[in-house]
Amino acid sequence: MKLFKKILIANRGEIAVRVIRACRELGIKTVAVHSDIEKDALHVKLADESVCIGPANPAQSYLNIPAILTAAEITDSEAIHPGYGFLSENAQFAESCATSGITFIGPTTENIRTGGDKSKARQVMKRRGVPVVPGSEGPVDTEETLLKIAKKIGFPVLLKASSGGGGRGMRVVYDEQALQQAYNMAQREALAAFGNSEVYLEKYLSPIRHIEVQIIADAKGNVVHLGERDCSVQRRHQKLIEESPAPGITEKFRKKIGDLAVKAAKALKYRNVGTIEFIVDQDQNIYFMEVNTRVQVEHPVTEEITGIDIIKEQIKIAAGQLLLIKQSDIKFSGHAIECRINAEDPDKFIPWPGQIKFLNLPGGPGIRVDTAAFAGWTVPAHYDSMIAKVIARGKTREEAIMRMKRALGDFLIEGIKTTVPFHKKVLNHPDFIKGGFNTDFLEKMTAQESGAGTAVENGSDAEA
Ligand code: MV4
């Protein structure tokens, strides 16, 4: 089967660079697109061709569908890779690509629509026997049903926007008195944020672990999973550290969550790469949360322990190839951890854009760095603050942690602040080292710090 001759990458930063690397290895020519302020960005330098698609404001450039489709047409690009964020989960964009005769490298428009409708996805799962958290069957449209379901499942409950996701548009309700007002507010907020007031109800489970499973599916309905990732180190729904395998889980649990992810993908008639997100409670019960219909930031940890290049698989499946990998071919080896390095104040997590005066990226045994940063480059204030991903692999979790600590020590940067000192703190925390913590880990860590007044040393960092 023939692959594409040329792909346009409708993204920027490290993921654009990551896609270019996969294309190089596959012998595919690449086209970068960029905004006015990014003509000197690394993805532009590395691509075979580049096209300026508009001003710095993402709405006028990286989200500008007509400009991107025009860029694809004038460069004779056969396919578009959307990366993550921006247009990657925009069903209308996927459809416009198809209309223009350009292959969208991702799932079907239908998959994107269902994935974007959290209440619908939940319904599909429930009907097909994938466990979901107790709650409403589809959106809640009257106050009577709301109260009836809340009483049945018991408080606390969680109101979620159908068009939300990733923690956006969620509201915890602790008792009956607060229910009605929360419902009205949730609907109003959902309408304002997503243009859709629909909300649904779930029992609020806490504490929980956030565990997701990478899947790959072809057009014939063959599906494999590439194991799980534990993403429980989050701050305000922003993942900061991810790892695979999930610490402390048994082979039996791993098979169970993997099989559920495959079942979920089949229920959705899913095609291409995707992630099935679950929450796991204290009793190891697994519940479906969402399907993410894009390649995720944290995909490298899975690549590191399976040896499978997820971006290449994405491209091959979009070109119509069938899966050559069987589940029994997939072997998991060692442990991988990813730290997201953001250009932010490491204590307050406020963005800290500016020019990088000096940069030493870590390397050496077991270290991979996915980045588009270089010395002299100015981190723009207009986009996401993530500037690098450091991925450490080891034969064991202990070895991966040790290597990550060494790599973070080698991550020298001057001119801007980064979250490197934060990561050093987490990697030295006894609860992180133990593994198997919940999503409340960071809150607990921060509370301990301020409570005991134990300032962790970070004075040796090179940040300005
Ligand atoms: C939940 C939950 C507890 N109970 N749903 C957050 C991201 C989105 N994908 C799903 N999320 C959650 N859904 C039920 N029924 C807990 C989370 C959750 C979370 C909630 C509050 C604060 C931090 C969190 C971190 C991860 C997941």
Side-chain angles (χ1 to χ4, degrees), residues 1-17:
M1 163 79 67
K2 227 176 59 48
L3 288 176
F4 309 106
K5 285 202 233 19
K6 197 192 274 186
I7 290 177
L8 180 141
I9 300 132
N11 215 299
R12 58 175 298 282
E14 70 86 18
I15 193 64
V17 171

Side-chain angles (χ1 to χ4, degrees), residues 118 122 132-134 156-160 164-168 170 172 200-210 231-239 277-279 287-290 292 438-440 443:
K118 310 296 162 185
R122 178 183 147 87
V132 296
V133 182
V157 296
L158 194 53
L159 283 163
K160 294 184 173 183
R168 297 175 313 145
M170 300 198 324
V172 188
Y200 63 105
L201 193 69
E202 282 183 356
K203 183 162 183 64
Y204 178 60
L205 302 178
S206 177
I208 50 139
R209 293 173 72 173
H210 174 137
C231 308
S232 297
V233 183
Q234 313 199 351
R235 185 182 175 275
R236 299 189 183 164
H237 304 297
Q238 285 287 102
K239 294 169 186 166
E277 189 186 304
F278 298 96
I279 60 177
Y287 304 98
F288 168 84
M289 278 284 108
E290 292 177 11
N292 293 316
N438 297 306
T439 48
D440 57 7
E443 271 169 65

Side-chain angles (χ1 to χ4, degrees), residues 90-328:
N90 185 317
Q92 204 207 310
F93 178 61
E95 210 164 68
S96 304
C97 287
T99 309
S100 306
I102 295 162
T103 304
F104 175 81
I105 301 175
T108 64
T109 309
E110 183 62 21
N111 292 157
I112 300 173
R113 287 223 165 83
T114 311
D117 184 341
K118 310 296 162 185
S119 157
K120 172 88 182 297
R122 178 183 147 87
Q123 242 171 333
V124 172
M125 293 307 144
K126 199 169 173 186
R127 285 183 190 155
R128 296 288 297 267
V130 178
V132 296
V133 182
S136 62
E137 176 84 34
V140 184
D141 40 26
T142 69
E143 285 177 9
E144 290 91 298
T145 17
L146 177 76
L147 184 62
K148 206 179 101 205
I149 300 162
K151 276 183 162 167
K152 191 173 129 205
I153 62 179
F155 288 91
V157 296
L158 194 53
L159 283 163
K160 294 184 173 183
S162 294
S163 304
R168 297 175 313 145
M170 300 198 324
R171 192 173 271 271
V172 188
V173 186
Y174 291 94
D175 51 51
E176 199 179 316
Q177 292 89 284
L179 192 62
Q180 227 189 72
Q181 203 198 353
Y183 178 57
N184 293 327
M185 300 254 293
Q187 283 180 314
R188 222 173 317 131
E189 282 170 10
L191 184 64
F194 316 112
N196 174 8
S197 66
E198 239 175 62
V199 297
Y200 63 105
L201 193 69
E202 282 183 356
K203 183 162 183 64
Y204 178 60
L205 302 178
S206 177
I208 50 139
R209 293 173 72 173
H210 174 137
I211 299 181
E212 58 185 34
V213 180
Q214 179 73 54
I215 54 111
I216 311 182
D218 69 19
K220 284 267 169 67
N222 301 303
V223 185
V224 295
H225 74 82
L226 303 188
E228 79 288 355
R229 295 185 286 257
D230 190 323
C231 308
S232 297
V233 183
Q234 313 199 351
R235 185 182 175 275
R236 299 189 183 164
H237 304 297
Q238 285 287 102
K239 294 169 186 166
L240 294 164
I241 301 180
E242 306 94 351
E243 58 184 304
S244 189
I249 71 163
T250 60
E251 223 16 76
K252 197 172 143 212
F253 178 91
R254 162 174 254 187
K255 185 173 177 339
K256 189 173 163 195
I257 202 166
D259 287 348
L260 281 176
V262 169
K263 193 171 175 182
K266 287 186 171 162
L268 294 161
K269 295 192 166 46
Y270 199 83
R271 176 177 175 176
N272 212 294
V273 318
T275 298
I276 315 293
E277 189 186 304
F278 298 96
I279 60 177
V280 178
D281 71 11
Q282 292 308 85
D283 304 321
Q284 302 249 0
N285 292 308
I286 303 167
Y287 304 98
F288 168 84
M289 278 284 108
E290 292 177 11
V291 53
N292 293 316
T293 58
R294 59 173 189 278
V295 68
Q296 289 189 275
V297 174
E298 59 270 28
H299 77 276
V301 295
T302 300
E303 295 185 325
E304 291 303 310
I305 66 155
T306 60
I308 294 170
D309 185 321
I310 294 169
I311 308 291
K312 282 191 192 170
E313 292 303 319
Q314 212 178 6
I315 295 168
K316 288 192 282 185
I317 286 169
Q321 286 194 4
L322 296 183
L323 262 177
L324 298 172
I325 320 165
K326 294 189 301 293
Q327 191 64 52
S328 57

